[in-house]
Amino acid sequence: MNNLIVYVHPYDKSYNHAVLNAVQANMKKNRKKFKILDLYKDNFNPAYDARELSLYSKGKTCRPQVKFYLKELKNADTLIIICPFWWNGVPGMLKGFIDVVMKEGKGLTHENTMMGVKGELVNIKHTYVLTTSAAPTFYLKLFLGNGIKRIFLNKTLKQLGMKKRKWINFGGITRSTKSKRNRFLSYIKEYKFK
């Protein structure tokens, strides 16, 4: 099994980075192969330029980094996305990753058909989105419309062909205690990623 971790946070002293470390510890403990795409560390540019956008429907890119990311996605069995929950959704960097990397075309990430989008990332059997948020998780689900699950997991990632998708959030992070934070990290270190 090839596990691909997409990490989306600019600060290496953040709690999200601690979550990344916990996922890596989990992978190592369970002797699982994994690779990390650290979008900020890689200086990924999430914005399209005119040339890149003109290549989108041809399934092409002018960026070697995008080709590399596509190759890693096509080789992954499991995808783990680690990011904060900012301004009621995923960070712009992650949205830009979806926009720029998810190329249209047979054998890439999706293909437009007469019946709509056909996802090509069927190789990804399990997808996990691990987020942290200032708001409690129940608030995100009940009062903000459960956007991560309803839109990001069950629309965007599903349309790309990803099979089983799960969202795990550590809510109320700004008011949490050190012991609560450590319990969540322990949970991630022991979690049974498929």
Side-chain angles (χ1 to χ4, degrees):
M1 295 290 281
N2 292 316
N3 297 277
L4 182 64
I5 302 167
V6 175
Y7 176 65
V8 190
H9 200 286
Y11 185 50
D12 66 359
K13 303 261 188 281
S14 70
Y15 187 73
N16 279 264
H17 201 269
V19 172
L20 172 64
N21 290 338
V23 170
Q24 289 180 85
N26 180 311
M27 295 288 138
K28 289 173 184 174
K29 177 183 169 188
N30 292 296
R31 295 186 178 98
K32 292 187 175 189
K33 294 188 331 187
F34 67 93
K35 290 186 179 178
I36 300 170
L37 303 181
D38 184 335
L39 301 188
Y40 281 95
K41 190 175 175 184
D42 291 351
N43 292 313
F44 174 68
N45 179 359
Y48 268 119
D49 60 24
R51 182 169 176 231
E52 184 73 20
L53 186 56
S54 73
L55 299 171
Y56 171 81
S57 63
K58 297 174 183 139
K60 296 183 180 177
T61 183
C62 54
R63 297 192 214 177
Q65 185 182 51
V66 171
K67 287 180 186 174
F68 173 75
Y69 286 170
L70 274 167
K71 183 177 134 263
E72 295 302 323
L73 284 164
K74 292 300 287 182
N75 288 329
D77 301 302
T78 297
L79 176 64
I80 302 168
I81 298 170
I82 302 169
C83 69
F85 188 87
W86 284 341
W87 292 104
N88 306 315
V90 297
M93 179 70 84
L94 180 56
K95 178 67 170 78
F97 177 81
I98 299 291
D99 289 347
V100 174
V101 175
M102 302 303 171
K103 297 294 185 186
E104 180 181 305
K106 191 153 184 64
L108 292 169
T109 66
H110 71 281
E111 184 179 359
N112 269 318
T113 68
M114 294 286 285
M115 303 302 290
V117 173
K118 176 186 176 220
E120 296 284 343
L121 290 177
V122 294
N123 54 292
I124 300 176
K125 307 293 185 222
H126 299 277
T127 303
Y128 301 90
V129 178
L130 310 180
T131 59
T132 60
S133 64
T137 304
F138 78 86
Y139 181 81
L140 304 180
K141 290 180 176 180
L142 298 176
F143 298 102
L144 285 183
N146 208 4
I148 289 275
K149 186 172 182 186
R150 199 171 43 81
I151 304 297
F152 189 63
L153 270 74
N154 292 342
K155 297 291 184 228
T156 305
L157 300 181
K158 181 179 179 182
Q159 283 181 312
L160 290 167
M162 297 177 198
K163 302 284 182 232
K164 297 178 181 172
R165 301 163 307 278
K166 182 168 179 66
W167 174 42
I168 302 170
N169 184 59
F170 180 66
I173 190 167
T174 53
R175 298 186 191 274
S176 67
T177 63
K178 185 175 180 179
S179 64
K180 187 175 178 186
R181 289 177 182 219
N182 287 337
R183 275 196 309 273
F184 183 76
L185 294 176
S186 294
Y187 171 74
I188 295 300
K189 285 178 187 172
E190 299 301 320
Y191 190 81
K192 301 293 184 209
F193 292 102
K194 302 281 184 190

